[in-house]
Amino acid sequence: MWTYDKKLQYPVKIKNPNPALAQAIISQVGGPDGELAASMRYLHQRYSMPDDNIVGILTDVGNEELSHLEMVAAIIYQLTRNLSEEKIANTPFANYFVDHTTGVYPIAAAGVPFDMKYVGVKGDVFADLHEDLAAEQKARVTYDNILRIV
C-alpha cells in the first residue's frame, strides 16, 4: 500500500544543537495546534463523512499531517542530540529532559502533554470542516510565533 523511502521530502540537517529552540518547536509535535492533533483530527473525522471523495481527501490530508510530524520530530531530535547536561541545565528544555531525556515526546511548549481533547470531531460535515479551517489557521499562528522568536 505505501512505499517508504526512509528519507524526508525536505531533509532536516541541523548542525548546532539548541535546547531552547527545541523547547519552543516541541509544540508543533504535541501542542493543541500541532501536527499530531492535525493528523488525529482528519483521520478521525473521515469516518462520519457521507461522501467517499471527502473520506479520501481527509485520509490523504491526515497522512500528510503525519509526514509534517515526522519533519518536526526530526528537527527536535537534531536540536537536542548529543547535548551535554551543562548545555541543558539552564534552558527551558531542562524540565523536558528530566522526564524524556532527548526522546521526542508529544508535548506543548508550556509542558502540557498531548491530549485528544485538542481534536475536534463532531460528526457533522460542516462543523468538522469549519473546525479544520480554524485548526489550520491556529497552526499557522503557532508556526509564525515560533519564527518570530527564532
Side-chain angles (χ1 to χ4, degrees):
M1 182 171 166
W2 297 100
T3 301
Y4 186 62
D5 292 331
K6 296 187 180 184
K7 64 181 181 176
L8 296 175
Q9 183 177 3
Y10 300 101
V12 176
K13 296 185 191 267
I14 297 171
K15 293 182 175 40
N16 300 320
N18 186 330
L21 186 54
Q23 180 63 31
I25 294 173
I26 197 72
S27 253
Q28 287 302 76
V29 172
D33 305 312
E35 302 298 347
L36 181 57
S39 65
M40 293 295 100
R41 181 177 303 104
Y42 293 117
L43 292 174
H44 287 84
Q45 287 177 350
R46 69 193 182 110
Y47 292 106
S48 59
M49 291 296 156
D51 182 271
D52 287 343
N53 292 319
I54 300 172
V55 171
I57 291 169
L58 291 178
T59 301
D60 291 346
V61 173
N63 281 296
E64 181 69 20
E65 297 294 348
L66 287 172
S67 70
H68 298 167
L69 176 63
E70 187 173 7
M71 286 187 284
V72 175
I75 291 168
I76 298 299
Y77 171 74
Q78 291 181 26
L79 285 170
T80 60
R81 70 172 174 227
N82 303 323
L83 284 173
S84 67
E85 288 79 11
E86 294 80 27
K87 288 186 178 180
I88 296 170
N90 296 315
T91 70
F93 190 74
N95 290 338
Y96 178 96
F97 182 83
V98 168
D99 291 331
H100 310 291
T101 318
T102 57
V104 179
Y105 179 78
I107 196 166
V112 179
F114 177 76
D115 194 315
M116 282 296 287
K117 70 183 170 200
Y118 300 148
V119 179
V121 178
K122 196 66 173 172
D124 176 84
V125 175
F126 297 108
D128 284 348
L129 294 178
H130 277 88
E131 166 69 22
D132 297 342
L133 292 171
E136 291 295 334
Q137 288 303 311
K138 292 186 282 184
R140 183 194 54 79
V141 170
T142 302
Y143 275 116
D144 286 348
N145 290 342
I146 290 169
L147 289 170
R148 288 176 22 208
I149 65 171
V150 170

